[in-house]
Amino acid sequence: MRGERLAARPEDVVPALTRTALAFGALDQQLRRHPLREAVLFRVRLEAARQCAAMDGFLIDPWQLAASLEGLRPRIRGHDAYERGSEVDALRYAFEQYQWLARATTSQEERITQALAVAAGPISRMGVLWGSALAFREWIEAGDARAPFRGALVRLWQKEGVFSGLYPVTGAAAFRSGTSWDERRWLRAWLRALEQEAAGIRDMVHTLERAWRDARAQAGNQRRNSKAALAIDIIAAHPVISATTLAARLSVSVQAACVLLERFVERGLVIDVTHRSARRLFALKDLVPLREAVRQPKKPVPGRKRGRPRLGEEADPDGQSVAVPEKMFPPMPRWKPDYTALETAIAFADGLILSTGKASKISVDARRESSSTG
């Protein structure tokens, strides 16, 4: 009876269902065959992983996750070992959330398949949005984790024709602390979270489009057969790109691609996100936060030999070294044992034993003499 009393009715969710469906339709129409679709998906997956991790109690900088995904070393900003360890743990958790949403492992795929099986029944009865909400609640109430069902939602939207791609829209904000679990209220909260995520993605697309158009306009003043504008299009379509990849896409030599990239960097249209001279990766200037989240490589110390430096010999350029300088805690002086007191005690004991032995011998001899004279 209690479940029937709290069950959501059509009038409770239809307005929210309508708004969410319209937001989903507008987003899918905007991203269908969009030239920046891959770059948008990269940003959206970062934000989705950040939101999911935050709702589960792990706060991260999404650009640190982006650096890890691109094979770069993220900058860990903790002031001490505890803070750095907590930041690494949060980053690892967010990476797992990203895997659930975009690059599931074999074991994760099995769990996602289970979640899709749970969602099949409610969706067939109530439709994709309402049914998936009821299935999500059923999944949580059974004691299962949120991450597998979030990954199932990404696949479910495409399978049911809601989106034309694997868009990570999961309604993570509906699990914010203080949100009512009452079915009528929670369904509206979840649908509202889905609508807000879709609107946020549309705003992100507009921002990327502005940056793309500005870079394209400033890349002008080239020869008629110049490929500068096409290069900007290719760079904008990728989260980050190397000179080799750009050369392959433009059908030019790697040297020509490097010349274009250096020209774009000088004009402030493109940034180098790696802080290094080899194996560099480039992106449009709106990815400056990614550059700031990448750890700078250590510079070689002139005159230092090969191998691991001694403790305190070389300072970490990012201030992230966990080594303790020797000047702060100098080594203790080498212990030099002093056995004078022990030797004195041993000599005293030997003398005492010797004197006691002599006294005993004298006493025995005296008894023998007295017994013989008697």
Side-chain angles (χ1 to χ4, degrees):
M1 295 298 293
R2 184 174 181 270
E4 295 179 0
R5 185 174 66 253
L6 297 178
R9 297 169 297 181
E11 55 268 25
D12 296 327
V13 297
V14 165
L17 279 172
T18 303
R19 291 192 300 269
T20 303
L22 291 174
F24 277 17
L27 175 61
D28 187 61
Q29 185 67 26
Q30 185 181 30
L31 285 181
R32 191 182 295 267
R33 298 188 180 89
H34 197 286
L36 303 182
R37 180 171 173 171
E38 292 302 317
V40 171
L41 282 178
F42 177 77
R43 303 285 192 90
V44 171
R45 286 165 179 164
L46 287 179
E47 180 60 20
R50 184 200 67 79
Q51 288 186 9
C52 292
M55 292 303 106
D56 295 345
F58 294 90
L59 300 178
I60 68 157
D61 179 358
W63 297 108
Q64 290 180 324
L65 177 58
S68 299
L69 293 172
E70 295 301 327
L72 305 172
R73 298 183 65 183
R75 185 194 301 268
I76 307 300
R77 301 182 178 89
H79 293 87
D80 52 31
Y82 175 78
E83 290 185 2
R84 288 193 291 271
S86 300
E87 194 168 350
V88 170
D89 291 341
L91 185 58
R92 183 182 297 110
Y93 187 86
F95 178 78
E96 293 177 358
Q97 300 305 306
Y98 185 92
Q99 286 182 308
W100 285 106
L101 298 173
R103 302 177 186 175
T105 63
T106 303
S107 59
Q108 289 174 342
E109 286 289 354
E110 294 176 357
R111 293 286 290 153
I112 289 174
T113 302
Q114 296 175 5
L116 288 172
V118 170
I123 289 176
S124 63
R125 298 191 307 269
M126 309 300 296
V128 60
L129 288 176
W130 195 344
S132 58
L134 296 177
F136 206 166
R137 285 178 56 87
E138 179 182 347
W139 179 267
I140 296 300
E141 289 178 347
D144 292 305
R146 304 168 187 171
F149 206 93
R150 289 167 176 161
L153 286 174
V154 177
R155 291 153 178 78
L156 187 63
W157 301 143
Q158 186 182 45
K159 179 182 177 182
E160 297 294 330
V162 177
F163 291 134
S164 58
L166 297 174
Y167 301 163
V169 182
T170 63
F175 291 95
R176 184 178 290 112
S177 177
T179 303
S180 174
W181 190 241
D182 175 75
E183 184 175 312
R184 297 179 181 180
R185 298 179 180 178
W186 187 82
L187 258 63
R188 290 197 296 266
W190 188 66
L191 292 170
R192 185 166 54 252
L194 293 177
E195 178 188 357
Q196 292 173 352
E197 286 184 22
I201 296 174
R202 295 195 66 190
D203 293 340
M204 184 183 299
V205 174
H206 292 315
T207 301
L208 291 178
E209 286 177 346
R210 285 195 298 269
W212 173 37
R213 287 194 296 266
D214 293 344
R216 216 174 188 278
Q218 296 178 42
N221 300 326
Q222 305 287 338
R223 298 187 304 272
R224 293 181 60 183
N225 60 346
S226 174
K227 295 187 177 182
L230 180 58
I232 290 293
D233 296 345
I234 296 174
I235 295 171
H238 291 74
V240 294
I241 193 170
S242 64
T244 304
T245 303
L246 180 62
R249 295 297 180 89
L250 289 175
S251 299
V252 299
S253 65
V254 176
Q255 182 178 2
C258 290
V259 170
L260 280 174
L261 288 171
E262 291 296 341
R263 186 180 304 162
F264 294 156
V265 170
E266 292 175 0
R267 295 187 178 186
L269 309 180
V270 170
I271 60 170
D272 173 13
V273 300
T274 55
H275 303 284
R276 61 195 184 197
S277 58
R279 301 189 305 277
R280 302 166 69 188
L281 296 175
F282 300 87
L284 289 184
K285 62 181 180 180
D286 63 311
L287 263 74
V288 170
L290 175 59
R291 176 181 171 85
E292 298 300 325
V294 174
R295 182 178 180 180
Q296 296 185 8
K298 293 183 179 180
K299 297 181 180 179
V301 178
R304 203 198 76 186
K305 298 181 180 180
R306 296 180 61 183
R308 187 175 180 179
R310 295 180 179 179
L311 186 66
E313 179 179 305
E314 179 184 0
D316 191 347
D318 288 339
Q320 301 182 67
S321 175
V322 296
V324 180
E326 293 182 354
K327 294 181 180 181
M328 294 179 61
F329 297 94
M332 296 181 64
R334 187 173 180 179
W335 180 58
K336 297 180 180 180
D338 184 5
Y339 299 111
T340 303
L342 179 60
E343 291 174 352
T344 302
I346 293 174
F348 176 76
D350 290 342
L352 183 61
I353 293 172
L354 182 61
S355 61
T356 303
K358 289 181 178 180
S360 299
K361 185 177 180 182
I362 294 173
S363 177
V364 171
D365 292 343
R367 286 198 298 270
R368 286 178 181 177
E369 292 177 358
S370 60
S371 60
S372 61
T373 56

